[in-house]
Amino acid sequence: MKKFGIIMMFVAMFASTSCSSLTGATDAAAVTSGAACGRALIALNNSKKAGTLAITNPTDLSNMLVVIGAYNDLKANKANNNYKKSFTTGMVTGGNNLINRTTAAAITNNLLNSTGLDGVNTANIQQKAQTVGTILQLLNALNQ
């Protein structure tokens, strides 16, 4: 019985180690930002599929601003690998089973390399022509 307890302890220790190394999500702010970005991208993708995606639609506008906020957070932490890994993990959880780890990693990299979201904020989003184009590029990763 004692040996069984020791074996179970090692199994539990191994399971917890492997689970935490799989996610690698140790930055709570990054996970939160990634999850919000994932939810916003899913909503924007649904609007795109319905043919109603527009910067003049308040819901789409709100979701675009969430993505822009996530972009700004990600850009501010671009040298932090833990932040990027945690952000990607958050995107998977926020993606409601529609965004997998591979897709989330691609979106995170695309988001980091985006230039059409630089300097975009609530006050000027209507004047930034590149914003919708950049969002559409990000959504393309969801449809592959």
Side-chain angles (χ1 to χ4, degrees):
M1 189 59 114
K2 192 174 190 179
K3 286 182 184 179
F4 181 72
I6 292 172
I7 290 170
M8 291 307 294
M9 182 179 74
F10 281 112
V11 168
M13 214 168 63
F14 176 73
S16 68
T17 302
S18 61
C19 287
S20 65
S21 63
L22 280 176
T23 61
T26 58
D27 190 315
V31 172
T32 301
S33 181
C37 185
R39 284 189 297 274
L41 287 171
I42 294 298
L44 289 166
N45 195 50
N46 290 339
S47 289
K48 178 185 167 200
K49 285 180 179 178
T52 60
L53 181 64
I55 204 162
T56 55
N57 177 332
T59 303
D60 290 344
L61 181 61
S62 175
N63 284 316
M64 286 179 199
L65 289 170
V66 169
V67 172
I68 291 164
Y71 163 77
N72 289 328
D73 294 342
L74 198 54
K75 188 174 173 186
N77 292 283
K78 68 181 173 186
N80 183 340
N81 286 330
N82 181 46
Y83 188 92
K84 289 187 280 190
K85 188 183 288 187
S86 297
F87 182 90
T88 300
T89 299
M91 190 176 296
V92 172
T93 59
N96 199 23
N97 296 323
L98 299 173
I99 298 176
N100 62 36
R101 188 103 180 124
T102 303
T103 305
I107 293 170
T108 299
N109 287 331
N110 289 342
L111 198 54
L112 258 176
N113 295 317
S114 296
T115 55
L117 303 179
D118 283 333
V120 179
N121 57 44
T122 309
N124 68 8
I125 192 169
Q126 300 284 350
Q127 289 79 36
K128 298 285 188 174
Q130 316 94 315
T131 302
V132 175
T134 301
I135 297 287
L136 288 172
Q137 287 176 347
L138 294 171
L139 296 178
N140 286 336
L142 292 174
N143 298 315
Q144 293 179 1

